[in-house]
Amino acid sequence: MSAEFDKAVALQAAGGDAFAGHTSPAYANMVGPFGGITAAQALNAVLQHPQRLGEPVSLTVNFCAALSDGPFTVTARPARTNRSTQHWVIEMTQDGATVLTGTAFTATRRDTWSTGEHSLPAVPAPADVPLPAARGRVEWINRYEMRFVDGGFPAAWDGSVGATSRTQLWLRDNPPRPLDFASLAALSDVFFPRIWRRRATLVPIGTVSMTVYFHADAAQLAATGTGYLLGQAQAQAFRNGYFDQTAQLWNEAGELLATTHQVVYYKE
């Protein structure tokens, strides 16, 4: 198992609905920690809560400010519990200030008619896609194995404008770790900002809000194990300082495990 990931998302009960955590240097980003690990920490407060009902179906996190290195508190409160569903309100604070707000929806899943409409793209197998030669520019990238099928980082940051912002890559934790809801939430944020892909310019950016929809249950995640996921991400529009990007994550068996959508601030 990935000791760094499990250490990063570890929380200690702090009374009532509160949990105490600490940022991890292993997931450091340019400013504060990698947003995916912060989202996973927020979700883990729900997962560890003794009143939790069912499994995660959706998670939304709003990044109010970058975390500083050090301790934080995350509160997960069950706002409404029905017979098979539960709605959660989440808040992360540090030094008395709110740094993240969020919501989650959990449910007891039932066996029903099921199908998928977003199929796994035809891409080479993970073993046929080479790893990048260089280490990541920031530390958190080294916590993931990324094999870019298409749409990797620009070869040169020369401001050239591409035809599309799409990226496809095989990915998993590094070292490989059995998939669970917390790690899937973090993996949903590994896609570098689409504006960098489209313009090959390192403009300042910051994710404002991210939602993850979990289409898989715990059994499907356990069956996926330490295997690769295929991630595909693309933006819809860049306008007036904000853009959105959507992504899908399939396992090697072709099952769509999660979809995610986020809105990102950028500065010229």
Side-chain angles (χ1 to χ4, degrees):
M1 295 183 69
S2 172
E4 290 292 355
F5 182 86
D6 293 300
K7 181 179 178 181
V9 300
L11 300 172
Q12 300 297 321
D17 298 322
F19 297 84
H22 199 285
T23 59
S24 169
Y27 288 88
N29 204 352
M30 288 180 287
V31 178
F34 164 51
I37 202 69
T38 305
Q41 292 161 337
L43 178 62
N44 206 28
V46 175
L47 295 172
Q48 288 189 202
H49 200 290
Q51 296 179 35
R52 174 173 61 90
L53 172 71
E55 299 175 349
V57 177
S58 69
L59 169 72
T60 296
V61 289
N62 306 301
F63 299 99
C64 306
L67 280 161
S68 301
D69 294 336
F72 60 83
T73 300
V74 56
T75 302
R77 176 175 62 86
R80 173 78 181 233
T81 301
N82 300 317
R83 185 166 59 181
S84 61
T85 63
Q86 198 167 41
H87 298 263
W88 293 83
V89 175
I90 305 167
E91 182 180 22
M92 186 178 289
T93 60
Q94 189 176 55
D95 298 327
T98 299
V99 293
L100 176 148
T101 63
T103 59
F105 173 68
T106 62
T108 302
R109 294 180 181 268
R110 298 177 289 111
D111 289 331
T112 63
W113 176 84
S114 303
T115 189
E117 292 198 5
H118 216 328
S119 301
L120 180 77
V123 297
D128 297 328
V129 181
L131 286 166
R135 284 175 55 89
R137 296 168 62 96
V138 290
E139 187 57 35
W140 74 263
I141 292 178
N142 301 310
R143 305 285 80 78
Y144 294 100
E145 183 180 335
M146 303 183 190
R147 298 175 180 266
F148 288 91
V149 176
D150 180 50
F153 286 96
W157 298 98
D158 56 9
S160 59
V161 178
T164 177
S165 64
R166 193 185 73 171
T167 289
Q168 294 175 326
L169 76 161
W170 289 107
L171 66 156
R172 63 178 175 179
D173 285 283
N174 180 31
R177 177 189 184 279
L179 190 65
D180 58 22
F181 287 108
S183 60
L184 183 55
L187 284 159
S188 296
D189 193 38
V190 302
F191 308 97
F192 64 88
R194 299 295 86 203
I195 195 168
W196 294 356
R197 169 66 183 159
R198 188 66 190 271
R199 289 187 59 200
T201 303
L202 280 170
V203 298
I205 60 89
T207 298
V208 178
S209 182
M210 178 177 75
T211 296
V212 181
Y213 298 106
F214 301 98
H215 303 295
D217 58 18
Q220 286 175 293
L221 300 188
T224 301
T226 60
Y228 290 92
L229 305 186
L230 182 75
Q232 178 173 275
Q234 187 165 359
Q236 276 67 237
F238 306 85
R239 188 166 294 118
N240 299 334
Y242 294 90
F243 67 90
D244 68 336
Q245 61 186 51
T246 188
Q248 303 83 34
L249 293 151
W250 296 265
N251 61 14
E252 293 180 74
E255 297 172 317
L256 185 62
L257 303 182
T259 53
T260 181
H261 206 102
Q262 62 180 262
V263 62
V264 183
Y265 160 83
Y266 66 95
K267 183 178 180 181
E268 291 292 342

